[in-house]
Every structure is written in structure tokens, then in C-alpha cells.
Amino acid sequence: RSTLFPYTTLFRSSYPGYLFGYKQFHDNIEVPVVSDGDETSTNMLRKMIAPFVIRRLKSDVLKDLPDKLEENIFAPMNSSQRELYDAHLQRVKLMVEGTDEESYGKDRIVILSELTRLRQLCCDPGLVYENYTGGSAKTDLLIEMIKSASESGHKILLFSQFTSMLDRITKELENAGISHYLLTGSTKKEDRIKLVDAFQEDDTSVFCISLKAGGTGLNLTSADIVIHFDHWWNIAVENQATDRAHRIGQKNVVTVYRLIMENTIEERIINLQNRKKELADKLLDTGTMSNPTLTREELLELLG
């Protein structure tokens, strides 16, 4: 599937033929825009789709909303974590390098599952290896950040896409004596409402939320710090999660932290997100990026 696949699919359904056939679109628009950064082709595509796009920024509509500050926090892995990560990274590299374009397409699901394991190793190798006892540099960093923030009177939203990671984090919070709530996809609807209302009103420091279960539909403006423990391919999903705090009713500046392990696939995912967002901003002024539709070359770049 193409980098511009979401856009072309919409137009093919609504206006068949408007963006030409796939081959013509790929050769004359997609390659110049995505691969070459050709401004002429980019401007032509933007003009073609502009009459059908209506965009409203939150900053245009909610002019009194406090600022949102964003910061990427980079940290090195500890030695045990790095050893396991590097070994798995080499395995995935060999798997990808040993495929051609045709077999890559067939093996894509298997390869993506291996990428997920790499991302889990960045979080905590215990998510992959049952008997691992070497610790997690990212978890250590997170707990120190939360301790400092909570002692200063801040309330925190913590997002992770891995519920098993949230289970580990909540145990660490309990050991540190830090009050918290947990919301995942298994949380009952009536309990979700109770948890949200309680967090809004009491002095609980941290609300741990699975990205997919709590990324939309919640009003949690009592929090003024958002931490993304790990990173989804779609940056818009992370932004929607951040908006649980940065929305109508928020009185304070919201600070958003992304925890990133240095020299890993996490750092490269952030770079890929930024490139995709830059391209999307040129065309539609939106930051969407769907579940990874990576080419073999992009995947090798992610693997370093």
C-alpha cells in the first residue's frame, strides 16, 4: 500500500477517477511528492484536494485554551536491556534482509510482530522474557519523573499501548507509595465513569491508561502532565490521548513528555512520525499516520 493510500482511497470511493488510476497517480504524483519532495507535484496535489478539505484547528476555535508544551525525553538502556535488544534487532534485520519485495509482502505480519517485540524490549524486557530480572531503564526514569511531579502537586496521565506494561508500572507505583488509578479495555463502563470522576475530584497523582481504551472520550482536565511511555505508529492517536487533558476546562499549561530509548526503534519511529506529519501538513494540514504500511526500505531504515 502507498504512503498516500488513505487519501487516494477516500477519493476513489467518493470521486472515482478524480486522482487518476493507481499507476498514473503513483508514477506522476506519489513518487515525486514522497520520494523526491517535489514542490510542483505537492502543490498540484494540494490544489486538487483543497476544495474537499475543511480544516479547523483547536487553536482557532478554543482561543482561551492554555499552552501545550511538548518534550522528548531520551534515555540510554541499561546493559542487560541493551544486550537483549541488540540480539533481537540482529534477528529481525536478517529476517528482512533475506526477503525480496514479494516475500516481504507475504511475511509482513510476522515481521511486524517482531517489531512489536523490539518495542516491548525498549519498555521492559520482562514483557518478552518471562524470567528477566535485569530491570528497565525506562521504568526507572518514569518513576523518578512521577515522584518529582507528584511531590510538586501535579497530576499525571500516563499512556501505554501495552496493558501488561501498565500492570508492571502500577506495581512500581505501589512500591513507591504513589496513588494511582488504572483504566484498560477490560475496565467496565460504569467503573470508567467512576474512575474519571474520582480522578477529577480527589488528589490521586497518576491515572494509568491504555492508549486504545482511554485515548478518546475522557475529560481529565485535572491533570496538567501527560506522559507517553511508548509510541504508536499513528501520531494522531497519541495527540488524541493528550487531548484528554488539553481540552475545554483546562486552566493550566499542559506539559507532554514522550519517553524514548536512545538509538533504538523508538527513536526512529519518532523520526518517521515527523516525516509523515510534515508530508501530511503540506497536503491536508493533519498529522495522521495509519497502522504501519512500511516499505521494505523504510523498515530497514527503522532497524538502523
Side-chain angles (χ1 to χ4, degrees), residues 63-119:
K63 296 184 181 296
D64 295 330
L65 200 61
D67 289 340
K68 178 176 67 175
L69 308 178
E70 301 185 62
E71 183 178 353
N72 293 336
I73 306 294
F74 293 88
M77 288 181 170
N78 62 40
S79 57
S80 299
Q81 197 171 3
R82 172 58 69 178
E83 183 178 350
L84 291 172
Y85 176 87
D86 285 345
H88 196 81
L89 176 66
Q90 291 305 314
R91 174 186 170 186
V92 180
K93 276 186 179 180
L94 290 173
M95 182 185 299
V96 177
E97 290 171 347
T99 64
D100 53 26
E101 287 295 339
E102 182 178 355
S103 57
Y104 170 71
K106 294 178 181 178
D107 296 337
R108 183 171 170 273
I109 299 300
V110 175
I111 292 172
L112 289 179
S113 69
E114 295 299 323
L115 288 185
T116 297
R117 290 188 180 91
L118 275 178
R119 292 159 59 216

Side-chain angles (χ1 to χ4, degrees), residues 218-258:
L218 301 180
N219 187 341
L220 295 165
T221 52
S222 64
D224 60 356
I225 290 179
V226 177
I227 300 176
H228 290 286
F229 188 79
D230 43 69
H231 314 286
W232 189 242
W233 302 96
N234 187 341
I235 194 172
V237 173
E238 292 185 16
N239 291 339
Q240 287 174 345
T242 296
D243 287 346
R244 299 315 94 216
H246 193 241
R247 59 191 295 117
I248 294 175
Q250 180 57 259
K251 304 300 183 184
N252 302 312
V253 172
V254 174
T255 305
V256 183
Y257 297 107
R258 292 183 178 88

Side-chain angles (χ1 to χ4, degrees), residues 185-280:
S186 61
T187 305
K188 295 179 181 179
K189 183 178 180 180
E190 56 270 23
D191 292 335
R192 285 170 60 100
I193 297 172
K194 291 178 182 178
L195 288 172
V196 170
D197 290 344
F199 186 76
Q200 286 288 86
E201 296 170 3
D202 65 22
D203 58 356
T204 299
S205 297
V206 187
F207 204 151
C208 301
I209 306 173
S210 63
L211 191 63
K212 288 299 183 71
T216 58
L218 301 180
N219 187 341
L220 295 165
T221 52
S222 64
D224 60 356
I225 290 179
V226 177
I227 300 176
H228 290 286
F229 188 79
D230 43 69
H231 314 286
W232 189 242
W233 302 96
N234 187 341
I235 194 172
V237 173
E238 292 185 16
N239 291 339
Q240 287 174 345
T242 296
D243 287 346
R244 299 315 94 216
H246 193 241
R247 59 191 295 117
I248 294 175
Q250 180 57 259
K251 304 300 183 184
N252 302 312
V253 172
V254 174
T255 305
V256 183
Y257 297 107
R258 292 183 178 88
L259 306 190
I260 304 165
M261 291 289 95
E262 285 181 341
N263 300 317
T264 68
I265 190 173
E266 285 194 332
E267 189 169 353
R268 297 183 182 98
I269 285 175
I270 297 298
N271 293 335
L272 181 63
Q273 283 182 344
N274 292 337
R275 289 210 310 272
K276 299 287 187 181
K277 184 179 184 303
E278 182 180 352
L279 174 60

Side-chain angles (χ1 to χ4, degrees), residues 175-188:
N175 293 337
I178 299 172
S179 57
H180 62 276
Y181 293 130
L182 173 65
L183 189 155
T184 68
S186 61
T187 305
K188 295 179 181 179

Side-chain angles (χ1 to χ4, degrees), residues 4-51:
L4 300 178
F5 181 83
Y7 311 143
T8 57
T9 300
L10 288 172
F11 277 94
R12 283 176 191 156
S13 301
S14 303
Y15 303 99
Y18 183 72
L19 291 181
F20 320 114
Y22 175 74
K23 188 177 188 310
Q24 185 179 358
F25 179 86
H26 177 267
D27 294 344
N28 298 331
I29 296 180
E30 181 175 25
V31 171
V33 169
V34 177
S35 300
D36 305 331
D38 183 73
E39 288 296 328
T40 300
S41 299
T42 301
N43 289 334
M44 180 181 73
L45 180 56
R46 182 168 58 238
K47 289 178 181 178
M48 291 179 71
I49 65 178

